Amino acid sequence: METIVRQKCDNLTGNYVIMSKGNRLEHNELVLAGAGLFQASGITPNPDKLKECKKIIKKREGVFSTFRGLGEYIVRTKMAISDSPEQYLTHLETVYQLLKKFSSDSRTLLAAMVIVDQSQPADYAHMAEKTKYIYQQMRTAHPLLTDQGDMPFAALMAVLGRDTETIHQQAEEIYGILKKDLRAANNTRQALSHLLAIYDGSPEEKCAKVCEVAKGLRKTRHSLGSDLYLAILGVVVNSPLSADELIRQIGEADDYLRQFKPFKGVFGMGKKATRSYAVQVVESAYARQDFSMDALSGVGVTAMINASIETTILMLMLLYCMMASSAAASSAAASSSS
């Protein structure tokens, strides 16, 4: 196992240990998602700052506020990562209100986070409108597949993408390729098409790399399945590693993580969830510094902005994995009680 990947794994599990202390009532999925966000941001969790952020949310948001729902722990984590937690929450409230009349739930809150993280306050209104427009394009193209879960992807495409028509057209082309070549649920293909459309490269090349890695992971018994866990493979198109190297190192990271909480044992994270974090640590270990994209300015993206892009994408995937896991647990509980 490569040293740099082992260090990333140790950092992730170490963050989890720090964040789980004093948060025993939180779901493991939430705490681990927060640990992943701290890792992607390169910051060590500060328990005292996290507690202070919780107090701020409780003081400013009502009991029935979306900010106090499923996304609260993620909001708290993002506040703790920021330089000014109260200001971050103020910006988030502003953007959420811009999106609220169009869509309102924890996924809309996540879309608001994307806009706050990737744009300036003066651009919030424009980015919110652009997000709504892209989302409407998604619904027109795929009315049965598109729901509020696609709002964060629309926001990501809005703040980091090319012009709306170009990025939508490429997403549609990618979806068509994935429908033929990737063994996955249609909503997973759609999520991947939105994500892959953001990156440079031809649709064929990007799809080929993702499909090859997905197929290789299945063959080596490290499959991510066919649901939304699989969508995290979208980040590997930016990796300088070959598909074969990605397959090997993701598998090794998967095996290594299973030695530690919250991944090990009967009550540990499921196999697909663990593998999604294995993808994260390998991707973050080899994140390219020369990544460029035809963004709003039409120029290459600096390494600092690239790190922010990676954090946003990982945040999206981590929360989707968490939501998928929570939904599965709820379904199992309902079945056992009936």
Side-chain angles (χ1 to χ4, degrees), residues 18-267:
I18 293 171
M19 297 182 74
S20 61
K21 293 177 181 177
N23 286 291
R24 300 190 185 281
L25 297 179
E26 299 288 356
H27 293 293
N28 270 345
E29 293 89 347
L30 285 166
V31 179
L32 187 57
L37 286 176
F38 272 104
Q39 164 158 284
S41 301
I43 299 173
T44 300
N46 181 329
D48 291 335
K49 192 173 182 181
L50 282 162
K51 288 178 183 178
E52 185 60 33
C53 292
K54 183 176 183 177
K55 291 178 182 178
I56 293 171
I57 294 174
K58 188 175 181 179
K59 180 181 177 181
R60 289 177 47 172
E61 304 294 335
V63 175
F64 299 106
S65 168
T66 303
F67 287 76
R68 299 283 297 276
L70 181 62
E72 179 184 339
Y73 194 82
I74 302 301
V75 173
R76 198 190 316 165
T77 300
K78 293 294 292 181
M79 289 169 65
I81 289 171
S82 71
D83 293 330
S84 176
E86 289 220 44
Q87 185 179 60
Y88 184 87
L89 182 58
T90 296
H91 289 316
L92 193 56
E93 289 169 334
T94 298
V95 178
Y96 182 75
Q97 288 302 318
L98 291 170
L99 295 172
K100 186 178 179 180
K101 291 182 180 179
F102 186 77
S103 171
S104 58
D105 69 359
S106 59
R107 293 164 294 185
T108 306
L109 183 57
L110 183 53
M113 286 185 208
V114 171
I115 293 173
V116 170
D117 291 346
Q118 302 294 348
S119 56
Q120 298 299 316
D123 297 323
Y124 288 167
H126 171 66
M127 290 304 164
E129 289 304 313
K130 194 174 179 182
T131 296
K132 295 174 191 177
Y133 178 73
I134 292 173
Y135 180 76
Q136 287 172 326
Q137 286 184 308
M138 292 176 180
R139 285 190 63 85
T140 299
H142 302 285
L144 298 180
L145 289 178
T146 305
D147 60 19
Q148 287 179 310
D150 292 292
M151 280 292 287
F153 288 102
L156 191 58
M157 293 165 77
V159 298
L160 299 177
R162 304 162 178 83
D163 67 271
T164 54
E165 297 299 333
T166 300
I167 198 166
H168 175 68
Q169 288 171 7
Q170 181 161 141
E172 283 301 294
E173 185 175 352
I174 290 169
Y175 179 81
I177 296 171
L178 294 177
K179 195 168 184 178
K180 294 185 298 180
D181 298 341
L182 182 66
R183 185 193 301 178
N186 281 334
N187 64 334
T188 302
R189 294 186 184 116
Q190 174 161 286
L192 269 168
S193 72
H194 299 156
L195 191 52
L196 295 180
I198 295 167
Y199 288 95
D200 272 345
S202 72
E204 293 80 9
E205 291 173 340
K206 291 183 286 189
C207 291
K209 188 166 188 177
V210 168
C211 292
E212 188 174 353
V213 173
K215 185 177 180 180
L217 290 174
R218 285 199 305 272
K219 285 185 175 180
T220 57
R221 298 182 182 277
H222 294 283
S223 174
L224 283 156
S226 61
D227 56 22
L228 282 170
Y229 287 104
L230 184 62
I232 199 169
L233 284 184
V235 301
V236 306
V237 298
N238 186 41
S239 174
L241 299 180
S242 67
D244 287 341
E245 271 298 298
L246 283 165
I247 294 163
R248 178 180 69 82
Q249 294 203 37
I250 291 169
E252 290 176 348
D254 179 24
D255 293 337
Y256 183 72
L257 286 172
R258 290 191 174 282
Q259 303 175 64
F260 307 99
K261 287 185 177 181
F263 302 105
K264 70 176 182 179
V266 177
F267 299 105

